[in-house]
Amino acid sequence: GATASSLTNAEVVNDSTKYASVELHGTINGRSFYLKRQVGRRTLKALQFVYDGEDLTCQESKLTQAKIDELFNTGLLTKIVFHGQHTVEKLLGSRDKEFKDELGQLVALDLWEAAKNYTSNQVRLCKVAIDKLSTELEVLERNRAGFLAKVDEAHQHHVNWEQEVQQNLKVLEDQLNRANAELQQLAVECSAALLHYNNCKEEIEFSRLGSFAPMEDSTVDDLQQRISQLELELNNLKEEAMYSRAKIDSLRAVSASQWERLKGLHNMFSGEEAVTCSQCMQPISETAFDHASSTFEHEAEQAEQAVVDVQQRSQELAGSQKVIEGEIKRCKEDLRRQREQQESLAKEHQQRWVLRQKAMMSADLLAEKGGKLLESLQKRGEYCSADSLPKSTDNFDFDTLMAHVVRSVDRLESKHGQYSDLQRQVQSLGAAESPHKEKLLSLESLLKESEESIHNVTTQKGEMEKELGILSAVDLSFSRTGIQNFLLEGVLQELQLKTANFLELLSSGALRLILNPTRPSKSKQGATLERIDKTVEVWAKSGFVSRSLKSLSGGEQRRVALALSLAFSELGSERSNTRSNMLVLDEPFQHLDLEGCQRATTLLKSLQFRTILLVSQAYDSGTAGIERADCVVKRDGVSSIESF
């Protein structure tokens, strides 16, 4: 029939029902568990899982199954507890890769693979760090070369500057010596001029520096009198003009009154009624009216003509007033210019006086200044004694003498200033520091830092390379050709030893299984074991003879396969620390003769299991040693269990 791995849900569910369920109670590693699985013909209906009193059932059955696989390591547990009809021979007849995968369950290869991945990653990171340090070292070396070139350049600039300073000092010292000689000569000349000035000072005539009082000008008085007359005339004209304006107003009032009276008369005689006089109460005749009207009109016209005459006179007065005002203005302007001219002359005379006084004072100050300067030069030894100077007694006028003193003192002071500037330049240049010195020191500091950085990076790179060597060795040891291969070889040795023990009982030492690992070649990267040769040695008259699996008989293959399967189960139990009190075998005696069945029964009884469940097609003499046998009997489509 079909193997357990190939059974479908439809094959598990009975034809008379819609689903099948199974419950499993027990303990594993001292902890209780409960499993219930229910399947339909097509899908898994339900999966319940309780472990150590905690319900770990998930909403999705596949998640629940994942928890079961994780806690129980079901992949290995099934091989420890259950040996099916076909799984017994599956391990012996498995291909090389399948056999390696089965062995991988006995060794924590995933842990070593993780360690391998970790060390490989560390090796990669270390190489990256070394490459980075190498790049950094190249940059530092280039920087160091650049700094070294700059230091050499700055040093050459510094040397050139010092040479230039020495040359400039020599030039300045020559100029200083020449200036000193010229200063001596000018000191002699200045001393002579000052002596001459002091000797002739009291003999100079100062009477001609007297007062420069300005003289009065009669033109100013005439102008003032003329202005007074014009102002008087102007006042008279203004009074007459005021009188004329008042008279004009009076005449205009008279004229208006006469015209008003005339208008009133006309209004009185414009009606049909007779007009009477308001005083005598007599009627007024037209002749009287005409005469009165003519009189009023004549008086009004006279008043208007008088107004015109007065207005003409007013205009004449206004013109005369403007003429007089213009004349007054011109006179005042002439007076102002005359006074300004007098003030300017007086100021000029005063300035001349002050200048002369200042000239005398300046001459005295220059003489005093020149004397102090000469005294200072004499004290410093830069000037000869005053007693040796010539004393001039030549007479000079005031201006010539003053100009000579000023020129001598100015030249001496100017030359002394030049001499002092040269001295300061020599002192400053002698005390000056090279402008390239700071840059040179800075570059030397940078060069030193660069060399220290190169040393540190080189040291760090060396340490990283040592670490890389260690990590590479560890990585190699964690590879599949290292510890993993060693562990698998150890598993093979243990598996071969246990298989030999079981074969000793099953074949009385007539059969031996040899598991021979072959190391991988260097060309096959990533391989753990290139091949595991499974060879069976059979006892013959001349000794053990190596035979392939295909050349064995069915019984021999069954014995070797059962021994290997039980050895794998026992080794898996030891390595996973999983202890089961039950062992299940499906058709373990298939292809075995009576002796083989008896030996297998004896072997199974010797195993440390509380319960060993055997499933077989028939109950015969080969299984007579079984303590209890239950037989499944099917009658009329109904299965039942009968005990023997």
Side-chain angles (χ1 to χ4, degrees):
T3 63
S5 60
S6 62
L7 286 175
T8 63
N9 291 343
E11 292 173 328
V12 173
V13 179
N14 191 281
D15 294 339
S16 62
T17 61
K18 294 182 180 180
Y19 60 86
S21 63
V22 61
E23 294 184 8
L24 180 63
H25 299 265
T27 60
I28 185 167
N29 295 332
R31 296 185 180 184
S32 63
F33 70 90
Y34 167 74
L35 278 172
K36 182 179 180 181
R37 186 184 299 271
Q38 189 178 52
V39 297
R41 293 185 180 278
R42 294 182 179 276
T43 59
L44 175 65
K45 293 293 185 181
L47 177 61
Q48 185 179 1
F49 176 45
V50 178
Y51 180 68
D52 199 21
E54 181 181 1
D55 191 352
L56 300 180
T57 305
C58 299
Q59 187 174 0
E60 296 183 14
S61 298
K62 63 180 181 180
L63 298 179
T64 306
Q65 184 63 49
K67 284 186 175 292
I68 296 172
D69 295 340
E70 178 184 357
L71 291 173
F72 291 173
N73 192 7
T74 55
L76 182 61
L77 182 62
T78 55
K79 292 180 175 60
I80 295 174
V81 177
F82 178 75
H83 299 277
Q85 177 181 359
H86 299 281
T87 57
V88 170
E89 294 183 352
K90 183 179 179 180
L91 185 61
L92 180 63
S94 63
R95 296 179 180 179
D96 190 69
K97 182 179 183 306
E98 295 171 348
F99 190 69
K100 293 173 186 176
D101 292 339
E102 297 295 340
L103 292 178
Q105 298 184 68
L106 303 179
V107 181
L109 292 180
D110 54 347
L111 175 62
W112 295 105
E113 191 66 27
K116 163 67 177 175
N117 294 334
Y118 176 78
T119 54
S120 297
N121 186 55
Q122 292 299 313
V123 168
R124 182 184 61 80
L125 294 177
C126 192
K127 288 181 178 180
V128 170
I130 291 174
D131 292 340
K132 184 178 180 180
L133 290 174
S134 299
T135 304
E136 183 179 357
L137 192 60
E138 292 177 359
V139 174
L140 290 173
E141 288 288 353
R142 288 196 298 269
N143 292 339
R144 177 183 176 278
F147 287 141
L148 187 60
K150 290 181 179 179
V151 166
D152 293 339
E153 182 181 1
H155 183 266
Q156 186 60 42
H157 288 327
H158 176 69
V159 171
N160 294 339
W161 179 86
E162 288 184 340
Q163 293 176 354
E164 184 179 356
V165 167
Q166 293 299 324
Q167 293 175 357
N168 293 337
L169 277 175
K170 185 176 180 181
V171 172
L172 286 175
E173 288 174 353
D174 294 340
Q175 293 178 357
L176 188 64
N177 293 331
R178 290 195 298 270
N180 185 33
E182 294 176 359
L183 185 64
Q184 291 286 344
Q185 181 64 30
L186 290 174
V188 172
E189 295 177 0
C190 182
S191 178
L194 291 176
L195 287 175
H196 191 192
Y197 173 76
N198 291 328
N199 293 334
C200 301
K201 181 177 179 182
E202 296 179 358
E203 301 176 1
I204 298 175
E205 294 288 341
F206 291 102
S207 58
R208 53 193 182 93
L209 297 177
S211 174
F212 294 93
M215 299 179 65
E216 292 292 338
D217 192 356
S218 60
T219 306
V220 175
D221 296 336
D222 296 340
L223 288 172
Q224 289 178 345
Q225 292 178 2
R226 177 61 178 166
I227 290 171
S228 299
Q229 293 175 359
L230 291 173
E231 288 178 348
L232 181 59
E233 292 179 6
L234 180 61
N235 290 333
N236 294 332
L237 289 174
K238 287 181 178 179
E239 290 177 358
E240 186 177 355
M242 290 176 60
Y243 172 76
S244 297
R245 285 194 293 273
K247 188 175 180 180
I248 289 171
D249 294 338
S250 176
L251 291 173
R252 284 178 176 173
V254 172
S255 176
S257 175
Q258 294 298 329
W259 285 112
E260 187 67 26
R261 291 176 66 185
L262 180 62
K263 183 179 180 182
L265 288 175
H266 284 291
N267 290 333
M268 290 173 63
F269 282 95
S270 61
E272 296 178 354
E273 296 179 358
V275 179
T276 60
C277 179
S278 60
Q279 295 181 358
C280 63
M281 303 301 293
Q282 294 295 324
I284 300 173
S285 62
E286 290 183 2
T287 305
F289 172 75
D290 293 337
H291 181 266
S293 296
S294 177
T295 302
F296 289 156
E297 184 175 357
H298 179 69
E299 289 177 357
E301 290 176 352
Q302 286 180 346
E304 289 179 352
Q305 182 63 40
V307 169
V308 172
D309 294 340
V310 173
Q311 286 179 344
Q312 289 179 353
R313 178 58 181 167
S314 295
Q315 291 177 356
E316 292 175 359
L317 291 175
S320 299
Q321 184 178 349
K322 289 182 179 180
V323 171
I324 293 174
E325 287 177 351
E327 184 67 22
I328 291 173
K329 185 176 180 181
R330 285 193 296 273
C331 290
K332 287 184 177 181
E333 182 66 24
D334 293 340
L335 180 60
R336 183 186 63 78
R337 285 197 296 270
Q338 288 294 328
R339 287 178 176 176
E340 287 180 355
Q341 185 176 3
Q342 285 187 351
E343 291 176 358
S344 177
L345 290 174
K347 187 175 181 180
E348 182 179 355
H349 293 324
Q350 183 65 28
Q351 287 178 350
R352 289 179 63 192
W353 170 262
V354 172
L355 287 174
R356 286 294 179 92
Q357 293 296 326
K358 287 183 178 180
M360 290 296 297
M361 293 176 65
S362 298
D364 293 339
L365 291 174
L366 282 172
E368 183 180 358
K369 183 177 181 181
K372 290 181 178 180
L373 184 58
L374 291 172
E375 185 179 355
S376 174
L377 293 174
Q378 184 178 3
K379 287 181 178 180
R380 289 189 296 177
E382 299 174 356
Y383 168 58
C384 58
S385 175
D387 297 337
S388 61
L389 296 176
K391 297 181 180 180
S392 175
T393 57
D394 295 338
N395 291 325
F396 295 96
D397 58 64
F398 178 79
D399 293 334
T400 303
L401 182 58
M402 288 294 296
H404 183 62
V405 172
V406 170
R407 185 169 59 254
S408 299
V409 174
D410 287 345
R411 290 177 63 191
L412 180 62
E413 185 178 13
S414 176
K415 184 56 65 175
H416 184 264
Q418 294 179 8
Y419 181 78
S420 299
D421 289 342
L422 288 172
Q423 282 185 324
R424 285 192 295 270
Q425 290 181 25
V426 170
Q427 293 175 357
S428 175
L429 194 57
E433 291 188 359
S434 172
H436 307 286
K437 184 176 181 180
E438 183 177 355
K439 182 179 181 180
L440 179 61
L441 293 176
S442 176
L443 289 172
E444 288 177 346
S445 176
L446 292 174
L447 179 61
K448 184 177 180 181
E449 292 177 1
S450 177
E451 291 175 346
E452 291 177 354
S453 299
I454 290 174
H455 174 72
N456 294 335
V457 173
T458 302
T459 302
Q460 188 177 358
K461 181 182 177 183
E463 294 175 354
M464 292 295 294
E465 288 175 345
K466 291 181 181 179
E467 183 178 353
L468 177 61
I470 296 173
L471 287 173
S472 298
V474 174
D475 183 60
L476 181 62
S477 65
F478 285 164
S479 67
R480 294 186 176 183
T481 58
I483 293 177
Q484 297 184 46
N485 187 63
F486 173 77
L487 293 174
L488 285 177
E489 287 182 355
V491 168
L492 283 176
Q493 292 178 1
E494 291 186 47
L495 184 61
Q496 181 174 313
L497 180 60
K498 290 182 179 295
T499 303
N501 293 333
F502 288 130
L503 280 176
E504 180 69 24
L505 296 175
L506 289 173
S507 65
S508 298
L511 296 173
R512 290 192 307 186
L513 177 63
I514 306 300
L515 302 175
N516 186 26
T518 303
R519 289 188 176 274
S521 61
K522 294 182 179 180
S523 60
K524 294 188 177 182
Q525 297 181 357
T528 307
L529 298 172
E530 183 176 337
R531 186 176 65 256
I532 299 177
D533 295 328
K534 295 187 285 288
T535 306
V536 177
E537 293 184 349
V538 181
W539 176 259
K541 294 181 180 180
S542 59
F544 284 99
V545 178
S546 296
R547 296 174 60 182
S548 64
L549 295 178
K550 293 181 179 181
S551 64
L552 297 177
S553 65
E556 290 174 335
Q557 286 188 14
R558 192 65 175 178
R559 295 185 193 200
V560 174
L562 182 60
L564 180 60
S565 182
L566 291 174
F568 188 90
S569 174
E570 183 177 305
L571 186 59
S573 177
E574 292 176 355
R575 285 184 170 267
S576 64
N577 197 24
T578 300
R579 298 290 182 267
S580 175
N581 60 356
M582 183 179 68
L583 181 66
V584 179
L585 296 99
D586 184 14
E587 296 293 345
F589 304 131
Q590 190 178 23
H591 302 304
L592 293 179
D593 55 9
L594 179 60
E595 179 190 3
C597 291
Q598 292 175 348
R599 287 182 176 277
T601 302
T602 302
L603 171 61
L604 293 176
K605 285 184 176 182
S606 66
L607 298 178
Q608 300 299 318
F609 289 98
R610 180 179 178 182
T611 301
I612 298 177
L613 179 61
L614 303 178
V615 180
S616 179
Q617 291 287 342
Y619 183 75
D620 51 21
S621 58
T623 57
I626 302 301
E627 296 177 357
R628 176 181 175 180
D630 293 329
C631 183
V632 178
V633 180
K634 189 174 183 179
R635 297 186 182 91
D636 299 328
V638 178
S639 299
S640 62
I641 299 176
E642 298 179 2
S643 300
F644 291 90

